[in-house]
Amino acid sequence: MPASTLFTEAMKLTPVRQDGDNFEFTGSLNEHWTIGPKVHGGAMLALCANAARTAHGAATERSAVEPVAVSASYLWAPDPGPMRLQATVHKRGRRVSLVDVELTQGERTAVRAAVTLAEPEHLVEPLLSVNPVIPLMTPEPPPGLTPIGPGHPMADIVHLAHGCDIRPALHTLEPRSDGGPPVVEMWVRPKDCAPDVLFALMCGDVSAPVTYAVNRRGWAPTVQLTAYLRGLPADGWLRVICTTMQIGQDWFDEDHIVVDCAGRIIVQTRQLAMVPAQ
């Protein structure tokens, strides 16, 4: 039977054990949730966030609580397949709760995540907001923008496109003629459902590396990724821009801003990653 391409299936967890505030789940990220041969970092972050939310919800009725901050350290890059997630609830607060999650494959820990759970601000006007996406990108992809799929130049690497409709503006991946920093633009949505919190968190790592702007296009492993959930996404396309402050010889930073079709900032991320070899 072919492996499922559905994002909802990728985020499923099976409870294995509970001992007080310690929980264990099993999950699986198959070959459709990979970049090249390795499991996508944003998909693993979203799965860790789901484990934290599920563990917290096992002893509370606060259904509005979501992973408003996830700080993930990547120890190694696992292959697609079964995974185990161990979640430890450290605090169940009135407004803020804290859960640690370890994602392992075999005997090796691949991701360690510290997750902050609270109620995100939703449909509330911020006191101040600087949203750089709105003047750059329309709520839906422009006509003629090709989705990643058969024949697309990114199809052999971005296997996420089996379960997501991903439409990158390829010209924004090229080095700028003025030598300025890249501002990568892409539109994303799941193929099987409306975008939810977990999908939006995954989109905080959906872009091709900003190192494309300096003609470094190999594997760029993420070392640390922090994501902030600012709201709940509306049903429609998510707009994503990806930028950087500095690309060094060995290390680079990468920032994503994810905005929904209603124009609200949904997710912000920053990561530290390694520059691909030339």
Side-chain angles (χ1 to χ4, degrees):
M1 183 176 177
S4 173
T5 61
L6 303 182
F7 180 75
T8 48
E9 289 292 322
M11 291 295 108
K12 277 189 175 179
L13 296 170
T14 301
V16 174
R17 179 183 59 86
Q18 179 183 352
D19 180 11
D21 285 330
N22 298 296
F23 297 79
E24 184 174 339
F25 307 95
T26 58
S28 179
L29 290 170
N30 63 35
E31 65 270 22
H32 302 303
W33 303 100
T34 59
I35 298 295
K38 295 295 184 178
V39 178
H40 180 246
M44 289 191 288
L45 180 139
L47 197 61
C48 288
N50 195 25
R53 185 176 65 179
T54 304
H56 178 272
T60 179
E61 296 180 355
R62 293 178 60 198
S63 59
V65 169
E66 298 287 357
V68 296
V70 185
S71 180
S73 295
Y74 295 83
L75 284 69
W76 70 290
D79 297 317
M83 297 172 184
R84 188 171 74 256
L85 295 103
Q86 295 173 305
T88 301
V89 180
H90 291 289
K91 174 185 176 182
R92 285 190 176 89
R94 185 174 61 86
R95 296 190 64 185
V96 176
S97 298
L98 303 175
V99 182
D100 284 349
V101 178
E102 286 197 5
L103 183 152
T104 62
Q105 189 176 72
E107 300 302 316
R108 299 180 66 184
T109 299
V111 181
R112 296 184 65 184
V115 184
T116 302
L117 295 137
E119 295 185 22
E121 293 183 303
H122 184 58
L123 298 180
V124 177
E125 284 298 318
L127 299 178
L128 183 148
S129 180
V130 179
N131 188 335
V133 174
I134 298 302
L136 291 178
M137 302 175 69
T138 55
E140 297 190 355
L145 195 63
T146 306
I148 298 177
H152 193 279
M154 300 175 73
D156 291 338
I157 300 173
V158 184
H159 304 134
L160 301 180
H162 298 160
C164 315
D165 192 336
I166 306 175
R167 305 198 183 197
L170 290 177
H171 70 279
T172 64
L173 286 165
E174 299 298 324
R176 286 174 47 169
S177 58
D178 61 1
V183 182
V184 181
E185 302 174 14
M186 53 198 349
W187 286 258
V188 190
R189 66 180 179 185
K191 290 183 176 180
D192 62 317
C193 59
D196 63 4
V197 163
L198 300 177
F199 186 83
L201 286 170
M202 187 194 72
C203 286
D205 187 36
V206 75
S207 174
V210 289
T211 54
Y212 274 45
V214 292
N215 289 315
R216 297 289 187 92
R217 299 191 174 216
W219 184 45
T222 300
V223 175
Q224 204 281 339
L225 171 62
T226 295
Y228 297 141
L229 176 71
R230 307 307 304 269
L232 309 180
D235 186 0
W237 288 94
L238 296 178
R239 291 170 272 181
V240 183
I241 64 168
C242 179
T243 61
T244 186
M245 296 296 292
Q246 181 166 293
I247 301 172
Q249 297 293 328
D250 295 319
W251 302 93
F252 70 97
D253 59 83
E254 184 170 283
D255 294 345
H256 282 61
I257 300 176
V258 181
V259 171
D260 71 1
C261 60
R264 298 190 305 267
I265 295 175
I266 301 300
V267 165
Q268 298 165 263
T269 66
R270 169 162 285 183
Q271 67 175 277
L272 180 68
M274 301 183 74
V275 177
Q278 202 158 13

